[in-house]
Amino acid sequence: MTARLRWGILATGGIARLFTSDLRLNGFDVRAVGSRSTESARAFAEEFGIATAHGSYDALLADPEVDAIYVATPHPWHAASALAAIEAGKHVLVEKPFTLNEAEARVVADAARDRGVLVLEAMWTRYLPHMVRIREIIASGAIGEVRTMIADHTQKLSDDPSHRLNALDLGGGALLDLGIYPVSFAWDLFGAPAVIQSTAIFKETGADAQIAVQFGYAEGRIASTFSASDARGPNRALVLGTEARIEIDGVWYTPTSFRVIGHDDVVIEEFASDVNGRGMHYQAAAMEELVAAGRLDGGDVLPTEESVAIMGTLDRIRAEIGLRYPGEG
């Protein structure tokens, strides 16, 4: 049986609440929470039954009762938070996107390797049961050679210019918040794209509101993604093979259902998720298994080096659409 890590939650925003709720619901050992505000840390600890509330991130990182840190700060602080946790000798699960850009990702990955700890990107979708089964189906050859992936991540979110999603200084925009999901899915299926074609529409703040990306690969494979923060779509995904297709229902990047359908439109297999909570605990379980096995490279589902490379792909997309964040060279 895998030994449990003792978790510490760094930051107390919405995503931290979702993650911690799933950890508590599924029996994980959450020991402490840290916030820049003592009041916020105490309220969070009370809400989730956590024993220790720290009024600073440094205090959390110094806590000897914590083995692993979940980083839930805004995008521009992912790298700094992860590096501080690594320096403290903690394993780190970093909210997606892994960092703000590839250069930061490289520094974080190298630091974790040198310190002998695991750093993992919290791309929770990859660990969900329906995605595990989809990878098994594809590996079995049941749908033939995979040729195409189509996926959207589209939400109707706040138009408030001060909202984090619309603020460039907070790494806001549809690409890093929403587009990371289908981009990571494309990487999961096909690896690094040979060709990238992107187009975007921007808000007055300079943040991207809509972005369409098409990846081209060797042997004629294509991945097509669309993400938007100003209009909600079906949030479905489609994987086309030479022998059959996989239709993933909305919301495809959360626990959901799918069907494998032959060219004659006959359903070959149906899958429905049965998940306790939202499903964010699967990534934590994977991290605990990796640490127990001494796999500090991130494992087979999402190697740390792949997270670095995905940030490079996002950099290329941003260069194509002319999107830069404050402070970047």
Side-chain angles (χ1 to χ4, degrees):
M1 182 176 178
T2 300
R4 287 294 196 195
L5 293 176
R6 298 171 298 176
W7 287 86
I9 310 299
L10 193 150
T12 55
I15 194 69
R17 283 186 145 71
L18 293 172
F19 177 71
T20 305
S21 176
D22 273 355
L23 291 194
R24 297 296 285 164
L25 187 61
N26 289 278
F28 288 77
D29 187 354
V30 185
R31 289 292 178 98
V33 59
S35 173
R36 293 173 297 178
S37 159
T38 300
E39 282 188 6
S40 178
R42 286 176 177 170
F44 192 97
E46 183 177 351
E47 179 179 353
F48 294 105
I50 300 170
T52 305
H54 294 291
S56 73
Y57 297 154
D58 287 344
L60 172 66
L61 298 180
D63 191 333
E65 293 295 310
V66 171
D67 306 308
I69 295 292
Y70 170 67
V71 171
T73 51
H75 307 336
W77 291 280
H78 283 185
S81 300
L83 287 170
I86 290 166
E87 178 62 26
K90 313 295 188 184
H91 303 292
V92 192
L93 181 64
V94 188
E95 250 314 318
K96 66 207 162 316
F98 191 51
T99 53
L100 200 60
N101 53 47
E102 185 180 19
E104 291 184 353
R106 178 78 273 150
V107 172
V108 170
D110 289 349
R113 183 197 61 232
D114 294 345
R115 190 69 171 84
V117 298
L118 171 62
V119 62
L120 191 69
E121 181 184 8
M123 178 45 71
W124 61 296
T125 299
R126 290 209 184 187
Y127 302 93
L128 293 174
H130 73 288
M131 284 297 181
V132 173
R133 180 57 188 149
I134 285 170
R135 283 194 294 271
E136 291 173 348
I137 291 168
I138 291 171
S140 75
I143 68 169
E145 183 180 348
V146 180
R147 307 300 297 169
T148 306
M149 183 218 81
I150 304 168
D152 78 304
H153 186 175
T154 46
Q155 305 288 345
K156 175 60 177 173
L157 302 175
S158 175
D159 290 323
D160 183 350
S162 65
H163 189 280
R164 179 190 63 78
L165 190 72
N166 303 318
L168 279 186
D169 60 337
L170 296 179
L175 179 63
L176 292 196
D177 266 271
L178 310 177
I180 180 66
Y181 284 89
V183 167
S184 186
F185 189 24
W187 259 88
D188 195 14
L189 292 176
F190 300 136
V195 177
I196 298 176
Q197 296 175 303
S198 312
T199 187
I201 295 173
F202 294 89
K203 295 188 174 183
E204 291 183 2
T205 62
D208 51 306
Q210 298 183 23
I211 181 161
V213 181
Q214 183 164 288
F215 296 139
Y217 304 85
E219 302 175 358
R221 295 175 173 178
I222 290 176
S224 181
T225 78
F226 179 71
S227 300
S229 64
D230 60 356
R232 182 174 175 84
N235 290 299
R236 298 191 183 105
L238 180 66
V239 179
L240 302 180
T242 54
E243 302 301 324
R245 69 185 184 271
I246 302 174
E247 296 183 355
I248 313 174
D249 295 323
V251 173
W252 70 265
Y253 48 85
T254 69
T256 189
S257 53
F258 70 80
R259 290 161 303 287
V260 182
I261 303 173
H263 292 317
D264 54 3
D265 287 333
V266 172
V267 175
I268 300 168
E269 177 178 333
E270 294 186 79
F271 181 97
S273 295
D274 183 13
V275 172
N276 190 28
R278 194 167 185 258
M280 298 186 79
H281 61 286
Y282 289 106
Q283 61 188 341
M287 187 165 180
E288 294 189 352
E289 291 169 4
L290 289 168
V291 170
R295 289 290 306 271
L296 303 183
D297 61 351
D300 299 326
V301 175
L302 183 54
T304 303
E305 287 299 316
E306 185 168 319
S307 291
V308 175
I310 288 172
M311 291 312 307
T313 295
L314 295 173
D315 285 355
R316 288 176 61 189
I317 293 169
R318 290 200 295 118
E320 189 165 286
I321 63 175
L323 175 60
R324 301 191 67 79
Y325 300 116
E328 289 189 305

